[in-house]
Amino acid sequence: MNHFRSSLALAAVLSLSAAGASAETMHIFWKDLRPPTQAVAEDANLPMIAAKLPDHGETLSLNLQDKTIQLAGYALPVDRDGDLVYQFLLVPWTGACSHMPTPPPNQIVLVTPAHPYKMSQAYQSVAVTGALKPDMEKSQLFILDGVSVVQSGYSVRKAEVVGVDTVPDTVTLPLNSPWSFLNKKKN
C-alpha cells in the first residue's frame, strides 16, 4: 500500500510540475510580434514588404521580452554544416527571404538552437521554445543568386526546436501569385 501511495504522490508532483512548466510557456502567434494596427500579409494578398510600412516593420512587442514563448514557423538556415543547423531564421511563410519579399523585422526571429537541429530541407516547419528577446540583428543569408542581408526583430537563444506538421497562422498565397508554387509545401 505504501508503494502505491508513493507512486500516486510522485505522479501528482510530476503533473503539477508539468502544469507549472506549461503555464510559464506562452504559445504565441505571428500577430503577437507586430503592432495590432500593422497590415497582415493576407490583407495585402502578398507578403508584407518592410519598406512599405510606416515604421519599416521595426516596432517590436516589448511586452514579450524575456518571456518563454513557443512559436511555430518555417526555418531558413543561416549557419549550417550539411544537415545540421546551428542558427536559422524563423519566418511566417515558406519562401520568405529567398523566393519572395522579406517580411518586416518584427516578423522574423533569429533562432540559435540549444543543440544543432537536423534539418532535411529549407523552410521546414518547426516550433521554437525559448526566451524571446526583442533585438534588431542582421544576418547574412546565402541564397542561390548571392548573399542577402536580413534584419530580424527578435532572437531566441538556446532554443528547443521540434518539427511540426502545421503552422497554425501561416500565410497561404493567392493562386494568381507568382509565388503560389510555394503553397504546395506542407502548411
Side-chain angles (χ1 to χ4, degrees):
M1 188 68 173
N2 275 346
H3 177 69
F4 176 75
R5 282 188 198 144
S6 298
S7 297
L8 193 56
L10 178 61
V13 166
L14 288 176
S15 68
L16 283 174
S17 65
S22 64
E24 293 171 13
T25 300
M26 298 173 60
H27 296 268
I28 66 169
F29 297 99
W30 288 98
K31 67 179 173 61
D32 298 322
L33 299 179
R34 63 177 170 73
T37 56
Q38 192 176 81
V40 227
E42 296 105 20
D43 298 343
N45 284 332
L46 279 177
M48 297 178 287
I49 299 174
K52 290 184 176 179
L53 300 170
D55 69 346
H56 301 285
E58 293 180 356
T59 302
L60 305 179
S61 181
L62 299 178
N63 63 333
L64 295 172
Q65 183 166 346
D66 297 325
K67 301 272 196 258
T68 300
I69 58 95
Q70 183 175 68
L71 177 65
Y74 300 95
L76 184 57
V78 171
D79 182 13
R80 75 182 309 163
D81 183 13
D83 60 356
L84 292 180
V85 176
Y86 297 92
Q87 195 171 56
F88 62 87
L89 297 174
L90 188 67
V91 294
W93 58 77
T94 60
C97 304
S98 64
H99 296 299
M100 59 175 39
T102 301
N106 63 15
Q107 295 292 280
I108 301 175
V109 180
L110 179 63
V111 178
T112 306
H115 310 286
Y117 183 71
K118 190 171 183 172
M119 188 179 296
S120 58
Q121 63 184 14
Y123 298 110
Q124 187 171 329
S125 50
V126 297
V128 170
T129 305
L132 186 71
K133 301 257 188 230
D135 181 28
M136 292 295 209
E137 194 166 334
K138 291 185 178 176
S139 303
Q140 282 193 341
L141 185 63
F142 296 93
I143 52 179
L144 291 177
D145 55 350
V147 177
S148 178
V149 176
V150 177
Q151 185 162 345
S152 54
Y154 299 94
S155 64
V156 177
R157 311 272 189 231
K158 297 181 183 176
E160 292 303 318
V161 181
V162 295
V164 294
D165 291 331
T166 60
V167 176
D169 56 343
T170 191
V171 172
T172 302
L173 301 172
L175 292 176
N176 62 354
S177 164
W179 297 289
S180 62
F181 70 94
L182 295 168
N183 285 339
K184 71 180 179 186
K185 291 199 178 247
K186 63 181 179 184
N187 289 338

